[in-house]
Amino acid sequence: MLGIVLMGVGFAFKVSAAPFHMWTPDVYQGAPIPVTAFMSVGTKAAAFAMIVRVFSGGLPTSRRSGRCLLAFVAATSMIGRQT
């Protein structure tokens, strides 16, 4: 269970989900526009594909845990204060 939680934390960091969404504007501010466009689309799409692949196929016995963790991160990302 601890391993699943730690993987979820790493995935949340990669897709800039809460509570890791605070660093994203700083990174995008200093980067050129083509790099920002690639980082905002390409890396996040790959990370979401990785999340789906790991939690649906790689960890079939812990689907409930992965689903709960993903739902928690999604809810906190949508509800969290955006500055």
Side-chain angles (χ1 to χ4, degrees):
M1 187 64 177
L2 179 63
I4 294 169
V5 170
L6 290 175
M7 280 196 316
V9 167
F11 293 152
F13 183 79
K14 187 63 182 167
V15 296
S16 301
F20 305 109
H21 62 285
M22 300 302 256
W23 68 273
T24 305
D26 294 334
V27 172
Y28 291 161
Q29 183 178 3
I33 292 176
V35 173
T36 304
F38 175 73
M39 286 174 53
S40 66
V41 177
T43 59
K44 303 231 184 330
F48 279 119
M50 179 178 57
I51 290 170
V52 169
R53 188 170 178 116
V54 166
F55 283 122
S56 67
L59 300 170
T61 59
S62 62
R63 283 187 184 165
R64 183 168 170 82
S65 301
R67 229 180 265 150
C68 291
L69 180 66
L70 191 58
F72 175 75
V73 169
T76 55
S77 295
M78 290 184 274
I79 296 171
R81 182 175 173 219
Q82 302 292 326
T83 57

